Amino acid sequence: MAESEKLEIGLKVMSRVITLRIQPEMEPYFRKAATLVNQRINSFTKNHSGGEMDSWDFLITVAIEGMVESQKNQDKYRLLQQSLDKRLNDLDNRLTLN
């Protein structure tokens, strides 16, 4: 997609507005992600208000959690794909034998 076809959006995370150029069909995902990041940061802020964590700590923690969740989902997808491939191969073998 050409850069000129991309949509420019502003996402507010914490007190900062981040400007991104994205594919138009990706906008809902970016907006939802920004909302989830803000919710997680607010949760951390409430639970760790003793001062041992600063804004960067919160952001890093949210980023790590997001990457862990992504990795878990990729692993689940890979296992599901392997299971589906095995079942399709089994079905193909049964149909070929008849």
Side-chain angles (χ1 to χ4, degrees), residues 31-46:
R31 294 205 181 277
K32 178 68 174 176
T35 299
L36 292 172
V37 166
N38 282 316
Q39 288 172 350
R40 287 301 293 150
I41 289 171
N42 288 338
S43 174
F44 281 127
T45 303
K46 289 177 187 171

Side-chain angles (χ1 to χ4, degrees), residues 32-86:
K32 178 68 174 176
T35 299
L36 292 172
V37 166
N38 282 316
Q39 288 172 350
R40 287 301 293 150
I41 289 171
N42 288 338
S43 174
F44 281 127
T45 303
K46 289 177 187 171
N47 293 330
H48 298 91
S49 60
E52 69 268 10
M53 292 181 77
D54 66 10
S55 297
W56 277 104
D57 294 328
F58 295 138
L59 287 170
I60 292 166
T61 303
V62 169
I64 290 171
E65 283 185 344
M67 296 310 309
V68 167
E69 194 62 33
S70 175
Q71 290 174 4
K72 284 174 33 183
N73 288 335
Q74 288 175 13
D75 289 347
K76 286 179 187 178
Y77 175 79
R78 200 171 10 261
L79 289 174
L80 181 61
Q81 187 66 45
Q82 290 171 352
S83 175
L84 181 58
D85 288 344
K86 183 182 181 312

